[in-house]
Amino acid sequence: MPDSPHDVFSLVTPADIRRIRDTAQENFIKLMDKVFDRLLVLKASRDLAKNPTNTKQLLNCVRVLARLIPFVYETRSDGSTIEDIVLWTQRPRPGSGADYSLGKQLVSATIDLLFTSGFTVPQATVGEDTVVRYTIWENGVGQTSSLGSSKENVANRVEVLRLLLVLCCKTMYVPPARSVAIANRALHTIAYNANKKMVLCLLCSLINTSLKEHSQGWAIPYRNSTAINPADELTLHAMQALFIMLEYQTPATKGGKASDAGSDATSAEEANANTPSMVLITGTETGTQNLFRVFVSKLHRQQEFDYLTSNIMRLLEETMRSNLSILASVTKQPTRHVMPQEATILLWLLLENNSLFKEYVVDHNRSLRLFSVLLYFMLNGYTDPAQSGMVRTISHILHYLSEDGQFATRLMQPFDQSILPSTMRIVDASLTHADFMINTAFTLLCSSKSYLVPVYSNLLLLVRNVSPYLTQISQLTADKLISLFDIISSPAFVISEPYHVRWLIYLIEVFDYVVHYRASDNPHLMYSMVKARSCFVRLKAFDLDKAKGELAALREKKSKTDATRTIGSPGAQADAAASVTPVPSLGTLKPDDNSGEGASSPALSDKARGKRPDPGPASTSDTQEQATTSTVLKQAATGQFQPSTEWVFSWLPDLPLDPIIAVLDALSVHVDQISEDVQRSAELAPPTEPTHGESGKSNLQPDQSDVKPADQADSTEAIADPTLAIIHWLSSDAMASAMPDLEDSMPEIRPRLQGMSPALVVWFRSLLWSMIYTSGVKPFGIWKNTHVRLFVIKSTH
């Protein structure tokens, strides 16, 4: 008799299973029926805890079924499957003769095994005449005390949860284009057709087990430990089961038939309309909702929200501290399964399915701490393709939170960089959370990594939703925002992909909100916009033929200069990988902080600029051309998108450029005048020489001209640079009086909501099941060597 799952999986090979399935299908079905019938007999036994032999036999039944079922879902060489015949066709049950459906009975029995007395929960008390006890395993949500389960109970739960995941794994064997339209009957049976008490106990057990803290005591969790901790394995499987239950949606039906998902390859960009996110899609067959989602949506107690928030934060911060610790290489355990990706997915599912929980997170005194930790994981993981799923999940969370105006307002509070490693910190003491958010978005957007393209819309929508509440963003942030706009608004970039227009619209809306609502609160940004006025004028005068010519010229130039070092080129990526410094800076694209010129051509006249120092051989225009060239060529699909005049007129007339340009025109007159006045004063003023003491102080202290009030600034600096005078004027009432009348063009403050398109559903489902697949590869490979179709398996050898 096998003693472990490894014995079963090594004794029964995939080739053996396929041979029996394809050449002796009747015998394969009889084997499944016999094993299940024996499982039912053993499950009904009241002395499992006292009879180790029966317990061992029951576990082996679970293991054999877990080994066979993936091949039931697998597509055979002729394109057919035997799922319907084996699992969902009525046939006589062995021994009784009564008709039954193996699939429904097996799902029900597996759920019961998770609550079987003496097997997965403690033995029933004296006088309690029941085998199956629906009770919550751990304290937390819905339970104030733990059952006090034994190690054997925990180990048995791991095996039964593994069988539950295998029963629901049909999704793995459906191609992405059909995964939204084809129902998963096992998941449907659990989530839609189960009794409420069972769902509630299973839901709370999975949540509480997922978030339970496993104390290590004083022991150091040494890295090279090869033993698998059953408690960690249980935590992992509990999270995975919870994810697939909360994610599952019955395909929408018309006339009782599932709608065709062949058209679900639409771009995720279409998900950004003002539609509710994570909308429940319910089939007319049942007329009900996913009960797991229903119960999650009804959570309302503050102590339960405290429990969820504090433990999700604990999981994130544990990993963060481990990454930053000097003992990280010793204390990181490969057996510690619950990593930031699982914690962020759980957070997203809870936020999406419970509006009260979202309000709690927004109002919580640690919401900004959570925001900072999530940004840390984005910056820490964006260079690693393996972490792109986590980065995208975080971008969805932040976008979803940005829909709340109160949360956006809180981002204007000062940002404490002490929680970040030194490589991520920005040399600016005046940063707010919004500043750091925009700098993070800038870093990811300009990294030109193809696997981050789906994240870009969320980042731009995040900035767009926060923009009506922006106050006092720094000069560094303002320059980077303008640099980003200069690239995204360039004609060649706009026409290189159809969805680039959406990015452009989001950025234009940022500036539109600022000039209408927050102009005097953001003098640095307004100054950068005045200097970049030519970018807005260029966009207003957009010409399709010129854009096509520019794009063709850039592609030709790129083909002739493959070795040119630009952002996004292999050389630059190699340097970035070697740098291991995810600080928001992009080399030649980084704005010159000392000059205050930003990344765009200044709007000031030559006379107003006076005798400013030459920027050097790497001119601003060359920098823009390099950035635009690399970004376009990195992200454009050559020859795929052919823009037309009709396409241009579908979006260009609707851009709110007129009020923005009107404001910049009005302000540029005053900015030029101030610059000329400062220059004239510099020419007339007699030269002043600092004293010996003042000179020494100047040599020792860093340049703080950007943060000094105008009336306290050094006189020499004030004469040499008009920036302080301009910033002072832009933040005064005089600037407000110089603004044109914008009442007729005032936009309504309304966030762009997150939608759940079919393409996004497929991505999220693929992410969850790929995580389940990879976790099952070791130690014995549950789905290894099966024909998975939802995602592609790449060998590392």
Side-chain angles (χ1 to χ4, degrees), residues 714-774:
D714 182 270
S715 59
T716 304
E717 293 180 13
I719 291 174
D721 188 355
T723 300
L724 292 177
I726 293 173
I727 295 297
H728 179 74
W729 182 84
L730 288 172
S731 59
S732 67
D733 294 337
M735 190 273 285
S737 63
M739 295 270 287
D741 185 9
L742 300 175
E743 185 175 352
D744 293 338
S745 62
M746 193 72 69
E748 178 186 356
I749 297 180
R750 185 176 62 178
R752 285 186 177 267
L753 307 183
Q754 180 171 258
M756 202 69 177
S757 71
L760 188 53
V761 171
V762 171
W763 166 77
F764 189 50
R765 191 167 291 174
S766 302
L767 174 66
L768 296 181
W769 283 106
S770 63
M771 291 165 55
I772 294 172
Y773 178 93
T774 53

Side-chain angles (χ1 to χ4, degrees), residues 14 62 78 159 161 184 190 194 210 245 292 305 349 355 411 415 430 545 552 621 658 779 785:
V62 169
D78 60 359
E159 303 237 28
L161 275 176
N184 186 319
I190 299 171
S210 300
M245 301 300 173
F292 286 85
F305 288 163
L349 288 170
S355 58
L411 296 183
F415 179 70
S430 63
D545 292 333
S621 59
D658 288 335
N785 296 323

Side-chain angles (χ1 to χ4, degrees), residues 314-481:
R314 173 182 55 80
L315 291 174
L316 292 171
E317 291 183 329
E318 276 182 0
T319 306
M320 185 176 176
R321 285 193 297 268
S322 176
N323 291 343
L324 301 178
S325 171
I326 60 174
L327 295 177
S329 60
V330 174
T331 59
K332 279 185 181 177
Q333 291 190 91
T335 56
R336 177 57 182 169
H337 294 293
V338 180
M339 301 303 284
Q341 184 152 339
E342 284 81 2
T344 54
I345 289 174
L346 179 58
L347 176 61
W348 188 23
L349 288 170
L350 291 173
L351 287 170
E352 290 278 8
N353 288 286
N354 191 307
S355 58
L356 291 178
F357 180 68
K358 178 185 177 183
E359 293 176 6
Y360 172 85
V361 170
V362 169
D363 295 336
H364 197 270
N365 56 6
R366 298 190 70 193
S367 62
L368 292 180
R369 173 80 175 189
L370 174 63
F371 178 81
S372 304
V373 171
L374 292 176
L375 288 182
Y376 160 80
F377 282 108
M378 289 192 83
L379 286 171
N380 189 62
Y382 83 97
T383 57
D384 182 4
Q387 298 189 50
S388 60
M390 180 183 67
V391 172
R392 184 171 179 180
T393 302
I394 294 174
S395 73
H396 284 295
I397 293 173
L398 297 179
H399 175 206
Y400 188 55
L401 291 175
S402 74
E403 297 170 8
D404 191 295
Q406 183 178 351
F407 180 78
T409 303
R410 297 193 71 178
L411 296 183
M412 303 310 122
Q413 296 183 23
F415 179 70
D416 181 11
Q417 300 190 66
S418 62
I419 69 169
L420 300 175
S422 58
T423 53
M424 291 185 186
R425 296 177 188 176
I426 301 174
V427 186
D428 191 336
S430 63
L431 285 183
T432 64
H433 287 77
D435 278 310
F436 195 76
M437 172 198 72
I438 295 172
N439 278 271
T440 301
F442 178 86
T443 300
L444 271 68
L445 282 161
C446 293
S447 63
S448 297
K449 298 184 182 298
S450 58
Y451 55 83
L452 290 180
V453 169
V455 179
Y456 295 163
S457 286
N458 283 334
L459 293 173
L460 291 170
L461 282 166
L462 171 63
V463 177
R464 183 262 178 214
N465 286 346
V466 172
S467 60
Y469 312 93
L470 286 176
T471 58
Q472 301 301 327
I473 68 171
S474 69
Q475 187 65 60
L476 173 69
T477 305
D479 288 340
K480 289 187 174 180
L481 197 56

Side-chain angles (χ1 to χ4, degrees), residues 3-58:
D3 293 321
S4 67
H6 187 273
D7 292 341
V8 173
F9 278 76
S10 60
L11 290 173
V12 185
T13 67
D16 295 334
I17 299 173
R18 289 194 183 99
R19 184 173 60 253
I20 299 174
R21 180 197 66 185
D22 297 340
T23 62
Q25 181 176 299
E26 186 176 342
N27 292 341
F28 184 85
I29 294 174
K30 285 183 179 180
L31 174 62
M32 294 277 293
D33 287 340
K34 288 289 186 181
V35 173
F36 176 65
D37 189 61
R38 182 58 181 164
L39 181 146
L40 290 181
V41 172
L42 294 169
K43 179 178 79 71
S45 174
R46 298 183 182 275
D47 62 346
L48 278 175
K50 301 177 182 177
N51 193 330
T53 302
N54 284 351
T55 300
K56 187 175 182 180
Q57 287 186 24
L58 179 56

Side-chain angles (χ1 to χ4, degrees), residues 480-493:
K480 289 187 174 180
L481 197 56
I482 293 297
S483 299
L484 193 61
F485 174 68
D486 186 22
I487 296 173
I488 291 180
S489 65
S490 64
F493 186 88

